[in-house]
Amino acid sequence: MNLQSLLENAHLDALGLLDERELADYNFAFAAAPPAVQQQIHEEQARWANLDFLLPRVEPPAHLRARVLDRLSAEILRAQAGGDVSDDVYTMRPSKRVSPIWRLAAVSLIGVAGVLGAAFLNVVMFNAKLGDNMTDDGVTRSVLSIFDGDDARINQKLFDPSTLTSIFAAKDRAFTGVACISTHPDWETATLNMRNMPAIEGSYHLVLVDADNRIVQDVANVGRGGTKRIDTHKVGNELLVPGVRIAIASVASGADFTTGEVVLSAKMG
Amino acid sequence: MASDGSRNLAEGRGGVDLALMKRVAASEESAIAELYDRFGSLVFRMAYQAMPTRSEAEDAVQEVFVRLWKTAARYDECRSALVTWVMLISRRHLVDKLRRNKARLRTSSIEQPAAGSIESGNDAASRVDVQETMKALMQRIDQLPDLQKTVVTRAYLGGQTLRQIGEELNTPLGTIKSALSRALVRLRERSGEELAL
């Protein structure tokens, strides 16, 4: 609202000719105006409010003063006795009351939501902890199973220099299976560990092979593969002396082991 | 919240007016009497102009002062002078009454006084004076440009809102406001010139 509009509206405001929306706009513009402009408007409005040029030249009757004061005394007494003193036209409307039942219900709902939220978090944390424990326990059991839970055997496998461990190499690089074999002079059997061996119709055999990777002797049948777990097999270790060539061959069901196909091979020691 | 600049407006007369309205809000009889002594004449003249009979004008004055008492606590000396506030409350009350009664200020009644308004000899004499004043006012209004004449008659004398007038005349609100403001300035100037003569 520019100064011209502000002054025009000030005249109209002084005469009570602005509606509610216009009055709100005017009040906003008045509050934002510089003090000097506010001062000018203040004086202009006071001048305009004196409507001599528009009003009839007539004086109120003498008795009117007493009537006005009596009427006001009566109104004041009525108000003091508990009557309504609010001005119905110019009073801001109070917000609608909210039923105490709804308020109680809302507060209860918030409380219940809080309790449920806390319980949910508690369950989530408990499950996570339980999951961790189960995983830890599973890993431990898996590792222990490789050595039949034999603590002495674990120590020998990991830390004893007398333990012979050989890692098998795949003939075909695309072959997914891996395997290793360990033996120790104190053990009655060697431990063969395999993992990710593809499932086959026949079975895998630990075999001895010659320098050309031809199978010369069967050592043990070690299953059909097909699991991603670490498979552990105890196999006889009499033939597993340092320097001997060993292999894992896939042998068709019912076929002679010498017809097997070498998939992994290693040299003891 | 009043700014420092606004606060300065309250100095001087404003401070006295504010103190008076606080006392009115506290229902002090002497303050209400003082308020009437200062503004009773202005309010009565407005009511007399707006209401069809003297009796209704007197009733309206009482109602206006009740409303001034009820709204006294809301008086803001930074926002307006007390005379402006009193005028505003009075004008709104009278316009409300006019609208409720679907009445119109009798601009035509200058020639045709309201039927049934029985008045005493003195009242009748003063009513004749008033009619003379109104006739002079209407003559001044008649000299205004058409739009200004229409707007001032409908808004000030008829109690219509400017928005209603704008819609009925199919004219922008800003134009209506400007026309009314200019009309009132011109009426005030003419009135001053006549008094000077």
Side-chain angles (χ1 to χ4, degrees):
Chain A
M1 191 179 287
N2 60 30
L3 183 59
Q4 174 69 24
S5 301
L6 189 60
L7 288 173
E8 279 177 8
N9 280 289
H11 292 160
L12 303 178
D13 176 49
L15 298 175
L17 291 171
L18 296 179
D19 64 24
E20 281 181 24
R21 201 180 343 157
E22 292 163 347
L23 188 61
D25 291 344
Y26 167 74
N27 283 336
F28 183 78
F30 177 84
V37 174
Q38 289 184 350
Q39 178 76 45
Q40 186 186 347
I41 289 170
H42 211 263
E43 289 165 2
E44 274 282 301
Q45 282 196 318
R47 195 163 66 87
W48 274 93
N50 244 329
L51 294 167
D52 277 343
F53 69 102
L54 285 175
L55 296 176
R57 294 189 185 91
V58 60
E59 284 305 311
H63 66 263
L64 185 56
R65 185 179 193 273
R67 283 183 62 190
V68 167
L69 296 182
D70 286 349
R71 169 78 182 270
L72 270 161
S73 294
E75 290 285 340
I76 290 165
L77 282 175
R78 194 169 68 87
Q80 286 170 347
D84 181 19
V85 292
S86 68
D87 187 88
D88 55 347
V89 175
Y90 304 126
T91 304
M92 289 178 73
R93 288 180 190 150
S95 61
K96 288 180 181 172
R97 276 182 59 75
V98 176
S99 161
I101 294 170
W102 280 110
R103 187 175 286 126
L104 184 64
V107 170
S108 304
L109 198 61
I110 291 168
V112 168
V115 170
L116 286 176
F120 176 74
L121 278 177
N122 197 28
V123 168
V124 167
M125 289 169 70
F126 176 77
N127 282 346
K129 194 173 176 183
L130 192 63
D132 288 348
N133 288 343
M134 288 173 73
T135 304
D136 290 348
D137 195 40
V139 169
T140 304
R141 274 191 282 114
S142 177
V143 170
L144 286 174
S145 71
I146 297 171
F147 302 101
D148 278 342
D150 186 339
D151 189 51
R153 199 160 171 132
I154 291 172
N155 275 328
Q156 286 169 328
K157 158 76 176 175
L158 296 176
F159 309 115
D160 192 333
S162 302
T163 302
L164 292 180
T165 297
S166 294
I167 310 296
F168 289 85
K171 186 180 172 191
D172 180 356
R173 296 180 75 179
F175 188 76
T176 57
V178 291
C180 72
I181 190 164
S182 300
T183 186
H184 185 275
D186 295 343
W187 298 354
E188 292 178 357
T189 56
T191 299
L192 173 67
N193 301 120
M194 299 189 302
R195 192 170 196 183
N196 289 341
M197 297 296 283
I200 56 174
E201 286 295 318
S203 57
Y204 292 105
H205 285 247
L206 177 65
V207 293
L208 302 183
V209 293
D210 63 15
D212 298 322
N213 259 357
R214 283 181 299 221
I215 300 170
V216 293
Q217 188 163 342
D218 186 27
V219 178
N221 183 328
V222 291
R224 303 171 64 182
T227 176
K228 292 188 176 181
R229 288 186 292 111
I230 298 175
D231 266 348
T232 302
H233 299 270
K234 287 184 178 176
V235 295
N237 60 1
E238 299 84 7
L239 301 174
L240 303 179
V241 295
V244 70
R245 291 181 178 278
I246 55 177
I248 293 175
S250 64
V251 180
S253 184
D256 185 77
F257 72 91
T258 54
T259 62
E261 180 190 0
V262 172
V263 293
L264 295 169
S265 59
K267 188 177 178 183
M268 284 303 294
Chain B
M1 185 183 292
S3 65
D4 288 345
S6 298
R7 238 176 255 121
N8 291 336
L9 299 177
E11 291 174 359
R13 181 89 217 176
V16 176
D17 289 346
L18 181 63
L20 173 63
M21 292 309 275
K22 280 183 177 171
R23 287 169 53 218
V24 170
S27 305
E28 268 188 42
E29 200 174 326
S30 62
I32 293 168
E34 187 182 334
L35 188 69
Y36 180 86
D37 291 341
R38 280 180 60 187
F39 300 108
S41 175
L42 173 65
V43 175
F44 178 74
R45 291 167 71 192
M46 291 172 66
Y48 198 82
Q49 185 183 58
M51 296 293 115
T53 67
R54 189 182 191 98
S55 166
E56 286 175 86
E58 289 181 16
D59 287 345
V61 171
Q62 292 174 53
E63 290 159 6
V64 166
F65 274 91
V66 168
R67 186 162 278 188
L68 283 169
W69 164 64
K70 286 182 175 178
T71 58
R74 272 180 272 156
Y75 170 64
D76 178 2
E77 79 282 10
C78 299
R79 172 66 176 73
S80 60
L82 184 54
V83 64
T84 311
W85 175 259
V86 170
M87 221 297 300
L88 202 60
I89 298 292
S90 307
R91 173 78 189 161
R92 283 183 181 166
H93 184 75
L94 294 170
V95 168
D96 283 350
K97 271 181 92 77
L98 276 176
R99 288 178 187 155
R100 272 202 296 270
N101 299 336
K102 297 192 181 303
R104 286 284 183 274
L105 182 75
R106 294 170 300 106
T107 54
S108 59
S109 70
I110 295 164
E111 286 77 32
Q112 285 183 307
S117 59
I118 301 163
E119 295 174 333
S120 67
N122 284 342
D123 287 346
S126 75
R127 182 59 81 179
V128 169
D129 288 344
V130 169
Q131 287 172 3
E132 286 301 318
T133 307
M134 286 299 288
K135 191 177 282 185
L137 174 60
M138 289 309 295
Q139 282 170 355
R140 289 199 296 272
I141 290 173
D142 271 342
Q143 291 167 12
L144 295 171
D146 281 347
L147 181 62
Q148 292 182 17
K149 184 165 58 182
T150 305
V151 173
V152 79
T153 305
R154 290 189 183 199
Y156 183 73
L157 302 176
Q160 277 188 284
T161 68
L162 301 187
R163 207 173 291 280
Q164 283 174 332
I165 297 168
E167 283 166 5
E168 285 180 14
L169 299 181
N170 199 22
T171 305
L173 183 61
T175 308
I176 299 292
K177 281 184 183 177
S178 298
L180 180 57
S181 185
R182 288 198 194 107
L184 294 172
V185 168
R186 193 172 287 195
L187 287 173
R188 176 181 278 282
E189 287 169 355
R190 294 256 169 88
S191 173
E193 287 163 10
E194 285 169 15
L195 287 173
L197 291 174

